[in-house]
Amino acid sequence: MTASVAKLTFVLLAVGWYAIRFEHARRSRRVAVRRDSRDSRENALLLISLSGLGILPLLYVATAFPRFADYTFRPAQAWIGVLFAVAALLLFQMTHRALGRNWSVTLQLRQDHKLITSGIYRKIRHPMYTAFWLWAVAQACLLPNWFAGFAGLVGFGVLFIGRIGREERMMLETFGDDYREYMSKTYRIIPLIF
Ligand code: SAH
């Protein structure tokens, strides 16, 4: 694999990633929102994450900016990136399917929102965020540039840290003991570790 092939692979897999998301977002527009905790802080976090995972890496692939941050390309590193990206895509698809009409891009609850605790949600509370972390690692492996490669880990990291506590509080306020019990039986993003 060459650096150009790695960049192209990143773009193609990213198209797959956005296709999964786009299809789901289109469908979820039909489901009414019952509670909306989206605020300017949430919007800022979403923008930071989108920059790190989308705008900056695509700018790099398109223009090679910032060239000074390039480092030597290693094919083995890129292949590891492909493995992470494929795992991320599969998990991303599974979590969208499992959440179904309960999914939102931000802190929202839908009409007749159901707490999902089975399937991929049985042992982990935030498998979709696990998919984002896997994707961010893939980006770092596939783009041999300190800035564009690591922007995803930083951008999503900021969203994750800024949102996870609020999301769990929102779920606790809504589902009470059901969510408390679910929390006691699950890990956040990595089974047995975190
Ligand atoms: N944090 C989850 C979901 C991300 S989507 C994950 O990483 O897999 C964010 C929205 O999903 C939240 O606004 C909330 O409304 C909803 N949500 C989160 N966990 C849920 C669950 N276990 N069951 C149903 N909806 C959930």
Side-chain angles (χ1 to χ4, degrees):
M1 183 161 0
T2 65
S4 313
V5 173
K7 287 180 199 172
L8 185 64
T9 306
F10 173 78
V11 172
L12 290 176
L13 290 164
V15 169
W17 179 271
Y18 285 106
I20 295 171
R21 176 44 63 90
F22 183 81
E23 173 58 22
H24 213 81
R26 195 177 57 81
R27 255 189 254 141
S28 76
R29 252 182 269 142
R30 287 196 291 259
V31 187
V33 174
R34 173 158 61 98
R35 171 178 165 170
D36 199 342
S37 304
R38 186 173 193 157
D39 53 14
S40 49
R41 170 177 150 170
E42 245 302 289
N43 287 338
L45 292 176
L46 280 166
L47 187 63
I48 291 168
S49 181
L50 178 70
S51 306
L53 290 166
I55 297 167
L56 295 172
L58 292 180
L59 183 74
Y60 169 69
V61 172
T63 68
F65 171 84
R67 214 178 278 272
F68 70 87
D70 274 344
Y71 62 85
T72 312
F73 176 76
R74 289 185 210 82
Q77 179 185 323
W79 281 114
I80 293 171
V82 171
L83 289 181
F84 270 89
V86 170
L89 276 172
L90 291 174
L91 188 58
F92 200 47
Q93 169 73 352
M94 284 170 79
T95 51
H96 278 92
R97 198 166 279 169
L99 280 183
R101 59 185 301 294
N102 304 300
W103 172 81
S104 294
V105 73
T106 183
L107 294 177
Q108 289 175 338
L109 290 156
R110 301 281 168 165
Q111 200 72 50
D112 304 314
H113 201 111
K114 292 210 174 45
L115 178 63
I116 308 291
T117 59
S118 61
I120 190 72
Y121 281 84
R122 201 163 72 89
K123 291 273 168 242
I124 334 173
R125 292 199 287 287
H126 304 291
M128 193 177 286
Y129 298 159
T130 310
F132 271 97
W133 280 118
L134 293 173
W135 178 262
V137 171
Q139 177 180 330
C141 292
L142 281 165
L143 304 181
N145 182 278
W146 293 113
F147 187 75
F150 285 87
L153 284 166
V154 174
F156 182 68
V158 170
L159 174 75
F160 180 80
I161 292 166
R163 180 194 275 180
I164 195 85
R166 297 179 93 191
E167 179 169 332
E168 293 190 340
R169 267 198 300 285
M170 179 185 85
M171 298 304 279
L172 276 170
E173 281 166 21
T174 308
F175 295 101
D177 286 341
D178 286 345
Y179 198 73
R180 214 166 319 227
E181 194 195 327
Y182 176 54
M183 284 177 94
S184 71
K185 289 191 201 143
T186 48
Y187 292 87
R188 268 182 167 167
I189 54 168
I190 311 174
L192 306 174
I193 299 175
F194 179 65

